[in-house]
Amino acid sequence: MKILFIHQNFPGQYKHLAPLLARQGHECVALTLRVKEATNWQGVQVIPYALPKRDGQKLHPWLVDLDTKVTRGEACWRAAVALRNQGYTPDVILAHPGWGESLFLRDVWPEARLGLYCELYHLAGYPHLNFDPEFASTDIEAETLRIRMKNINNHLHFEQGHAGISPTRFQADTFPSPFRERITVSHDGVDTIQACPMPDVRLTIEGQCDVTRADEVITFVNRNLEPYRGYHVFMRALPRLLRERPNATVLIVGGDEVSYGARAPKGRTWKQIFIDEVRGRISTPDWQRVQFLGRIPYDQFLRLLQVSRVHVYLTYPFVLSWSLLEAMSCEAAIVAGDTAPVREVITDRETGRLVDFFDRDALVGEVCALLEDADERARLGANARDLIRAQYDLRTICLPRQVSWVEGLVSRA
């Protein structure tokens, strides 16, 4: 088959699937904003395109999101027309529609089968909206309308997409009928050979930490440190946690930007806001046991998970982080916030411990209880890895399911 990938940050979620399809003999091409020059990546011909320069437009704030997506959609459409004029016609288009790039591709190739990566449909009600009262909208009725407008991009794609794929059931179930019936649930996959327990692991980051499994290490990971991923809850639990665990080292991974939700007040970061909030209740010797590692290379990230004695994971009802599944694959003992996406992989007392997202005392209590019980940590960690290997393994479960889904796009034609 001729397969065209559309992703503004290619390979993105296709980083395993695209090379595999290329190795299987399919002709794979990708259109992306990520590169500046055409290149070949693991058998995939990667073709760049750019966004046009535009004068500023005065828009209703509820239309800014759609305007951005149409701008990207037009740019990708023009790149697609250029490909078509060179004689290229794909059999299958695999697209992440979240940024709008794939809005007009069926206008270029009406016979192509379009498979959509369905990451999330924005629901305008609780708990997707105003889950956290601290950061609730001051105008809930208007916010509901803005969220509905944000889904215009999804609805425009529903007419064109032949099938969808979502990494978790929680994400798939956000989409409305009848399109929900066309979505296959299949995670992108966890490399359980790479993300595995390592008893003799050592994590050394010069000037910051040098720890092994012999140390009492508590870990917390976000792409960016922000409320959507419970950073504020974890930080507010730190004063008591450090007092109760005088030998613990706390390693925090994440950037200073915003991936989801609202930005911090101008000139500030969520990271620093919550450091400032709790620092006065933490002694200097205790604070020296807290290390902010920023964003670290993947090999160091895996060693961090392998050295972790207890890994804390918190999220709003939202997209589930790969980091949680990778921590489970490394046999980390998990304490997690009890929200719907987390319950898909963490069953309380079986594959981890669940606490109310907002209950800092319960969070500290469960972390301390696990730090005192090596046998329970080992049991939960082993169960967690067994689950990941059985349901989320990259090579034996997820990639075969994704390939079957791609092949089904054509066979169902």
Side-chain angles (χ1 to χ4, degrees), residues 149-383:
M149 294 295 290
K150 194 176 176 72
N151 277 316
I152 290 176
N153 177 59
N154 276 320
H155 284 276
L156 290 172
H157 276 95
F158 293 164
E159 299 181 351
Q160 305 174 64
H162 295 96
I165 192 166
S166 283
T168 67
R169 187 163 301 281
F170 169 82
Q171 289 165 261
D173 286 347
T174 62
F175 287 83
S177 295
F179 193 76
R180 170 63 184 90
E181 282 68 50
R182 285 186 266 161
I183 297 176
T184 296
V185 177
S186 178
H187 197 267
D188 310 315
V190 177
D191 188 339
T192 62
I193 296 174
Q194 191 175 22
C196 64
M198 191 71 66
D200 59 350
V201 66
R202 186 179 204 99
L203 174 65
T204 301
I205 299 178
E206 188 174 353
Q208 293 183 285
C209 68
D210 184 8
V211 290
T212 70
R213 293 284 295 174
D215 298 297
E216 186 172 289
V217 177
I218 301 165
T219 54
F220 182 80
V221 172
N222 289 174
R223 179 188 299 172
N224 284 300
L225 301 174
E226 58 184 320
Y228 243 78
R229 294 303 198 194
Y231 169 67
H232 58 315
V233 175
F234 182 73
M235 288 299 292
R236 289 165 176 168
L238 263 186
R240 181 185 161 198
L241 184 58
L242 291 166
R243 286 195 305 270
E244 297 202 13
R245 305 307 301 184
N247 296 316
T249 296
V250 179
L251 302 181
I252 300 174
V253 169
D256 297 346
E257 301 169 6
V258 173
S259 298
Y260 318 107
R263 295 191 174 278
K266 188 174 182 180
R268 307 188 69 192
T269 65
W270 291 121
K271 173 186 172 182
Q272 194 60 46
I273 285 171
F274 293 107
I275 289 176
D276 293 342
E277 180 180 321
V278 304
R279 181 64 182 86
R281 292 182 282 126
I282 301 174
S283 69
T284 296
D286 281 351
W287 186 247
Q288 290 172 347
R289 296 187 284 121
V290 180
Q291 299 295 327
F292 288 86
L293 305 180
R295 293 179 177 172
I296 57 178
Y298 189 68
D299 61 332
Q300 290 184 349
F301 168 70
L302 285 182
R303 288 199 291 274
L304 175 110
L305 299 179
Q306 291 163 338
V307 83
S308 177
R309 216 171 259 192
V310 174
H311 181 73
V312 177
Y313 179 74
L314 301 166
T315 185
Y316 285 10
F318 191 64
V319 174
L320 195 67
S321 303
W322 280 357
S323 65
L324 173 61
L325 304 189
E326 290 165 320
M328 295 171 71
S329 186
C330 290
E331 289 193 0
I334 309 292
V335 176
D338 187 5
T339 54
V342 175
R343 287 194 295 272
E344 204 160 321
V345 293
I346 298 292
T347 301
D348 191 36
R349 312 283 161 166
E350 291 184 22
T351 53
R353 297 282 182 90
L354 291 176
V355 297
D356 182 275
F357 178 89
F358 300 103
D359 193 337
R360 302 193 298 273
D361 288 336
L363 176 65
V364 172
E366 292 292 1
V367 170
C368 291
L370 282 180
L371 289 173
E372 289 292 326
D373 193 338
D375 290 341
E376 179 67 355
R377 293 198 307 271
R379 183 185 73 85
L380 292 175
N383 288 349

Side-chain angles (χ1 to χ4, degrees), residues 127-143:
H128 294 256
L129 186 63
N130 288 338
F131 167 75
D132 190 340
E134 182 175 354
F135 301 100
S137 170
T138 56
D139 189 349
I140 184 63
E141 290 184 278
E143 185 68 2

